[in-house]
Amino acid sequence: MDLWVTEYQTPSLGFSCKITETLRNEQTRFQHLAVVETLQFGKMLLLDGMVMTTDKDEFVYHEMITQIALNSHPNPEKVLIIGGGDGGALREVVNHPAVKKGTLVEIDDRVITASRDFFPALSCAFDHAKAEVIVEDGIEFVKNQTAEFDIILVDSTEPVGPAVELFSAPFYKSAAAALKDDGMLVVQSESPFFNQDVIQMAFKGVQQAFPITKLYLASVPTYPSGLWSFTVGSKQYDPEKIMTRGSSCKYYNDEVHQAAFKLPDFVADIIGEGK
Ligand code: SAM
């Protein structure tokens, strides 16, 4: 008998992967956590039944949530990641030559443990000399920071449970206060096909806190619809302008950096920037 894992990306759309083994299946304090071995994508981490990351396509998302800001800021020395408990974004951050310190604030330590147990290519970052890992609610953590960071990345689950407030205008305002006066914020803002409301909420919320707000896209095969968005708020620098060179990447490069901001009309319309 075949075994499959299915993420219901919408109530009427399932994304299924054939699996050979369930490696972890637990209810943490915050969410249901599973790790499965899939034939197509290798190991897969799911939270509350949603695909978070896989061996085979993690590089796309982790490079694109980090490298755009890391290479648009002239001196990204101090970077904060909210969420990101799998460690993939932290790996990109601490490997960037300009970064002096990458701080990860993840609310659920069981995600960090699962990554250490099953995703060595991601969790290697936790022990990096430039890395600091804190288990705490990122919303509370940010409220207690003032002009501390050059870049803040919100690598959170979708707006459910502990992540709801991470998509709110008050959070974006507190993130702006936690950034230096030339800082940048990047938030993962879900799918232009299935989550137009989340994109609008994130984009408008970031716009209220930053003078420059832009949306960019990447293709992530295991995320709902395969097309994913990121919203960037910047206090001073244009995120479309490349100012430093990142580490060598598999998906991200100068041309991808520029192309990511070229939006199809249906996406521009979502954020009210259509022709
Ligand atoms: N790349 C994935 C995506 O786009 O859905 C996100 C991956 S990462 C595993 C998401 C993490 O955000 C989870 O580990 C979750 O525990 C964490 N998280 C959710 N709300 C949080 C909060 N308020 N503070 C810190 N971490 C939070």
Side-chain angles (χ1 to χ4, degrees):
M1 182 187 75
D2 289 341
L3 274 179
W4 293 75
V5 66
T6 299
E7 174 184 348
Y8 293 98
Q9 295 182 345
T10 75
S12 53
L13 178 69
F15 173 82
S16 298
C17 291
K18 193 182 276 188
I19 68 171
T20 55
E21 201 180 348
T22 297
L23 299 164
R24 186 150 299 168
N25 182 355
E26 70 173 67
Q27 185 62 40
T28 79
R29 279 177 57 214
F30 299 96
Q31 49 216 335
H32 181 266
L33 181 152
V35 180
V36 293
E37 186 71 56
T38 72
L39 289 172
Q40 192 70 49
F41 290 103
K43 287 188 180 53
M44 176 184 277
L45 169 69
L46 300 106
L47 294 177
D48 285 341
M50 291 174 282
V51 176
M52 291 291 119
T53 197
T54 79
D55 284 337
K56 292 279 174 17
D57 77 340
E58 61 84 8
F59 67 94
V60 178
Y61 173 89
H62 292 129
E63 290 177 14
M64 289 305 282
I65 195 171
T66 56
Q67 298 292 345
I68 295 273
L70 286 171
N71 294 296
S72 311
H73 191 292
N75 192 23
E77 292 186 348
K78 292 189 76 177
V79 180
L80 170 64
I81 300 166
I82 305 294
D86 50 58
L90 184 62
R91 177 196 62 203
E92 297 297 318
V93 164
V94 297
N95 285 330
H96 189 282
V99 170
K100 289 198 165 60
K101 184 173 181 186
T103 301
L104 181 121
V105 179
E106 163 60 58
I107 198 166
D108 190 343
D109 64 331
R110 296 300 297 163
V111 176
I112 295 170
T113 303
S115 183
R116 282 189 184 281
D117 292 344
F118 300 110
F119 296 92
L122 306 182
S123 57
C124 55
F126 295 140
D127 302 317
H128 193 285
K130 293 195 240 178
E132 175 188 32
V133 179
I134 298 169
V135 177
E136 190 182 325
D137 182 340
I139 296 160
E140 293 311 311
F141 179 86
V142 163
K143 282 179 189 160
N144 299 318
Q145 310 297 319
T146 307
E148 188 64 32
F149 298 99
D150 298 297
I151 293 174
I152 297 178
L153 308 170
V154 183
D155 179 11
S156 74
T157 36
E158 66 167 17
V160 291
V164 170
E165 259 188 74
L166 292 174
F167 290 80
S168 71
F171 171 75
Y172 298 137
K173 277 203 175 58
S174 61
L179 284 164
K180 295 177 187 170
D181 59 10
D182 63 347
M184 301 176 92
L185 166 73
V186 178
V187 304
Q188 75 85 4
S189 42
E190 307 272 308
S191 159
F193 281 99
F194 300 148
N195 310 107
Q196 293 90 344
D197 54 338
V198 175
I199 291 178
Q200 283 167 348
M201 181 167 60
F203 196 83
K204 289 194 175 17
V206 172
Q207 262 181 330
Q208 288 171 31
F210 290 86
I212 302 167
T213 302
K214 295 205 176 167
L215 191 87
Y216 64 90
L217 301 174
S219 310
V220 183
T222 56
Y223 281 2
S225 83
L227 183 64
W228 212 246
S229 75
F230 303 83
T231 300
V232 48
S234 182
K235 288 187 174 182
Q236 186 172 329
Y237 309 115
D238 180 346
E240 290 194 56
K241 288 204 178 58
I242 299 168
M243 299 169 90
T244 65
R245 288 285 162 267
S247 28
S248 62
C249 298
K250 288 166 67 177
Y251 183 92
Y252 173 87
N253 60 40
D254 291 1
E255 292 72 29
V256 165
H257 185 124
Q258 306 296 347
F261 289 93
K262 307 294 181 228
L263 302 179
D265 285 0
F266 90 95
V267 178
D269 289 344
I270 295 171
I271 56 173
E273 300 200 345
K275 293 183 183 70

